[in-house]
Amino acid sequence: GAVVSQHPSWVICKSGTSVKIECRSLDFQATTMFWYRQFPKQSLMLMATSNEGSKATYEQGVEKDKFLINHASLTLSTLTVTSAHPEDSSFYICSATGSGSEYEQYFGPGTRLTVT
Amino acid sequence: AQSVTQPDIHITVSEGASLELRCNYSYGATPYLFWYVQSPGQGLQLLLKYFSGDTLVQGIKGFEAEFKRSQSSFNLRKPSVHWSDAAEYFCAVGAGSGGFKTIFGAGTRLFVKA
C-alpha cells in the first residue's frame, strides 16, 4: 500500500527559531500533499494544500509567511515553521494523494512540535 | 460549505459489545465519506470509504458503515468490540471543486472496558 513518512517524528525547538518538517511519499508519486495541524484532543485542521511545482494554497487564517510549504518534487513536501513560538506547538500531519486516486489520502504518522 | 458532525465526544463500551459511532454531514452533492482511526500520537488509518454504489460499506478490522442520504448520515458500526479498538475515530467528508479537500469531524474517543 501507499506509504507516507514524516521526519522528524518529534522535535523540540527554542522560541524564535525555525524548524522544518519533511513529508515523503515512499512508493508513489504524490501529485497533491496536504498539511494538517492537530491540537490535543481535537480534530485535524487543514492548513494548506500543495501541488508539485506550484505554490501552496493556504486555508483562511493560516499565515503564509509563518508556515512555509514547499513541494519541490513528486515525493517530497516540506513545512517550515518560521520564528516558532510556544503557541505553534502542535501535532502536524501530512497526507498525500496520487494521480488517479485524488479522493483517497494517505497520511503520515505525524510530527510533534514543542516550542520552548 | 461542507461540514461533519460527530455528536458523541466519547463513548464507552464493554469488550464484546456492539458499537455504533454517529456521523452526520452537510454537503450539497453526493459526498465522498471516510472513517479514520487514530491511536494516541499516531497518524490516521483509513477504516473505510464510500464513494458510490452499495450504501453498506465494509472496512478493515471488522468495521462497516452505512450511508443514508435521507438522514445525511454515515454511521460506523462493529458487531463486537475488542480492547484494541480503543482509539479516536474521525468521520470525514471529501469534496472537490477546484481542488479536493477533506473536512474532518471533531472525533469520537472510544473507550473499551473489560
Side-chain angles (χ1 to χ4, degrees), chain A residues 34 36 38 42-44 46 59 91 93 102-105 107-110 112, chain B residues 32 34 36 38 41-44 46 49 51 90 100-102 104-107:
Chain A
F34 304 84
Y36 295 87
Q38 185 180 32
Q42 294 189 27
S43 187
L44 283 72
L46 180 64
E59 295 299 300
F91 195 53
I93 301 176
E102 63 169 332
Y103 304 117
E104 186 160 351
Q105 296 181 49
F107 286 84
R112 171 75 59 194
Chain B
Y32 296 92
F34 307 85
Y36 292 91
Q38 184 182 33
Q42 302 294 315
L44 272 68
L46 179 67
K49 61 183 183 284
F51 288 175
F90 292 99
F100 186 76
K101 291 183 182 180
T102 302
F104 288 84

Side-chain angles (χ1 to χ4, degrees), chain B residues 4-24:
Chain B
V4 180
T5 301
Q6 292 181 248
D8 304 305
I9 297 174
H10 57 80
I11 283 182
T12 301
V13 298
S14 298
E15 191 170 17
S18 63
L19 170 70
E20 182 170 33
L21 302 182
R22 296 183 291 165
C23 172
N24 293 96

